Amino acid sequence: AAMRSRAEVDATLQTAKLNPAELLPAVHCLSFGPQAGGGECCLLQLEPGLCAELEAGRSLVIRGEKDEHAVLCSKDKTYEMKIADTSNMLLFVPGCKTPEELNADQASCNIIHSQIAGFSKNYWELRRCRPKLKKLRKLLMEDPYEGPDSQKDQTSTFSKYTTEDLLSLIQASEEEILHQLQVIDACKIEGYWRILDFDYEMKLLNHVTQLIDSESWPLSKVPLCACLEELGSLEPREMIEHILLSYGRKHVDDGEVFFEMHEDKICRAIAQMLLQNAIKFNLSEFEEVWQQSVPEGMTTRLDQLQGLALVDKSSRPETIFLLKVEDLPEDNQERFNSLFGIREKWTEVDITPYIQDLCAEKQTVGALLTKYARSSMLNGVKVYNSRRPIS
Amino acid sequence: SGGAGALAQWVLLELQGEVEPRQSGELAGSLLGDLHYTCEGVPVLIVGHHILYGKVVQLEKPFAVLVKQGGASQPSPTGPHGHYTVTALIKTKLLFKTRPKPIITHVPKKV
């Protein structure tokens, strides 16, 4: 179609009985661009902060394999994407000026031919969500590192994952992924992210705790250099340093590197080592063996085992069994179904460590319980059970 | 991704109902109408035989315009897969909610 002329525009104004004196001089003649009907453009509604990120030149990434619901990731946040329908038609127009812009630009030409780039009746909406990190552990657990002596690595046919691999497979932002790698004590070996096999990890920890004991070092000040010297012949130096970083807090004193050992984390690891060998344990027997197994100077407490083990106070004698929160489903409803399948009624104190990680940004455990559970009183104590019948 | 250069700012036009070509055939290349603003800044859109009055709205949540790389395809139920580029940002929309005022007249002689 030929471009409209000023004369044609004026004629239309006359027909419409609009007074040009009441209008700004510039007119936009809108037509549909060549690609307009193609459907290649779509609209994404931006949550606060994302617009600024884009303008600063940073990227947003859409992640998800074909069987996963797509998420959008900024540098440090993850969002679910959902289509929102409007009943209206949304047309997107490049180079269309607002009245302010027209008034500011006195020299603007009288007639602006604008091409509509595309149109849509819907757009993508974003909702901040928890990063989907369970898959990260699952991938790294495909092939845990068992140490340099292990024959497995040479003959292993399992995939090993670099940072780039993980970024393309995990539905989370880069910062959330890197943070989680730190949380699960992953380490980079030959460029690949690895998780230590638990037995190998305990072997390394044992080397360190025995050395601390024989040298009578204070638990708060374990020297890195001495550890590397004494243990370097037994294990790779990187692994010795890794275990110290995993179970201690690094600090520098007078130019020398020391580690303040994490009593709770060490006690917890040793508990896991004891508990994984049976279905359940007599609680008092376990507590005795556990205390005897931890390094000199450390005190065991049941609250160190939150999210790792569960005490059954209803059995006689009382028992304890391994229940790791990271083994439970990631989806909220599935998590609650799983927990209520394990135990019919939970106190808030018992269930909190197993649902804490489900809380969204400003959500409380109480809010989750209100949504997914039903409360009742049992022997004067408030307990929670499933909202639906468990098969 | 955003890209290194400054992002273009586009404007959204929100209209009621469907947009259909006057003549049957391709939408691409056909005219929509004339967009004027009154001296007070009220957008006035003349589409066919209708006058639409609207208002300029600053969007609380701006839009990004995504263009799919490598050919168009319908978004799958699980979401948009593939590579997208952010072509432009939209911070302003012209909302035309009012009932169109029909222009009642005979067709004018060609100027």
Side-chain angles (χ1 to χ4, degrees), chain A residues 1 4 9 11-13 15-16 18 21-24 27-34 40-47 51 54-55 57-59 62 64-66 68-70 81 88-94 96-99 102 116-117 119 121 123-124, chain B residues 1-3 7 9-19 27-39 41 44-46 51 53 56 61-68 72 75 78-81 84 86 89-92 103-105 108 110-111:
Chain A
R4 279 171 72 72
V9 169
T12 302
L13 281 177
T15 312
L18 290 171
E22 291 172 359
L23 302 173
L24 296 182
V27 62
H28 291 82
C29 293
L30 304 172
S31 62
F32 288 91
E40 282 159 21
C41 272
C42 59
L43 291 175
L44 174 72
Q45 193 179 51
L46 300 173
E47 285 298 298
C51 191
L54 285 172
E55 286 175 306
R58 286 198 286 274
S59 299
I62 296 177
E65 296 184 72
K66 286 283 185 296
E68 295 169 321
H69 279 83
M81 299 180 74
N88 293 339
M89 182 65 62
L90 305 171
L91 302 114
F92 9 116
V93 193
C96 177
K97 299 202 185 298
T98 61
L102 287 176
I116 297 162
F119 57 90
K121 286 197 84 105
Y123 56 89
W124 290 103
Chain B
S1 68
L7 278 174
Q9 303 274 349
W10 292 2
V11 165
L12 201 66
L13 238 71
E14 186 169 341
L15 303 176
Q16 285 192 332
E18 301 288 334
V19 166
L27 200 58
S30 65
L31 290 167
L32 174 69
D34 296 339
L35 173 67
H36 297 268
Y37 295 105
T38 67
C39 295
V44 183
L45 185 64
I46 306 177
I51 307 176
Y53 289 88
V56 178
K61 290 188 184 177
F63 284 98
V65 182
L66 303 182
V67 174
K68 188 162 182 145
T78 46
H81 294 90
Y84 290 82
V86 176
L89 292 176
I90 299 177
K91 295 184 182 175
T92 310
I103 301 170
I104 302 163
T105 185
K110 196 153 167 72
V111 172

Side-chain angles (χ1 to χ4, degrees), chain A residues 111-222:
Chain A
I111 186 163
I112 304 167
H113 296 281
S114 296
Q115 288 201 327
I116 297 162
F119 57 90
S120 178
K121 286 197 84 105
N122 52 43
Y123 56 89
W124 290 103
E125 244 180 4
L126 298 175
R127 201 172 61 133
R128 178 98 191 265
C129 66
R130 278 184 288 118
K132 307 205 191 290
L133 295 167
K134 194 172 159 81
K135 190 174 170 185
L136 178 61
R137 176 182 285 268
K138 176 170 159 277
L139 291 178
L140 297 184
M141 292 284 269
E142 283 174 359
D143 192 10
Y145 183 66
E146 291 180 3
D149 301 331
S150 159
Q151 290 305 307
K152 239 179 42 146
D153 261 30
Q154 280 89 331
T155 59
S156 176
T157 52
F158 287 110
S159 308
K160 294 212 264 274
Y161 303 95
T162 61
T163 307
E164 277 62 47
D165 293 331
L166 295 176
L167 284 174
S168 70
L169 290 168
I170 307 295
Q171 294 188 291
S173 71
E174 182 169 352
E175 264 185 38
E176 287 163 332
I177 292 172
L178 292 175
H179 179 256
Q180 185 68 1
L181 285 168
Q182 208 183 30
V183 165
I184 63 177
D185 294 324
C187 59
K188 245 190 182 167
I189 298 172
E190 287 170 14
Y192 297 102
W193 285 100
R194 307 295 296 277
I195 252 181
L196 299 189
D197 169 76
F198 188 66
D199 290 343
Y200 180 57
E201 187 173 333
M202 289 300 102
K203 185 170 161 217
L204 288 167
L205 184 62
N206 196 42
H207 284 317
V208 168
T209 54
Q210 286 208 344
L211 185 62
I212 292 173
D213 193 48
S214 67
E215 297 290 320
S216 299
W217 287 325
L219 290 168
S220 58
K221 214 166 170 185
V222 175

Side-chain angles (χ1 to χ4, degrees), chain A residues 220 222 244-252 258-262:
Chain A
S220 58
V222 175
L244 285 167
L245 281 166
S246 302
Y247 285 91
R249 193 184 62 86
K250 183 172 173 177
H251 58 99
V252 179
F258 293 94
F259 287 89
E260 181 187 341
M261 300 316 286
H262 221 303

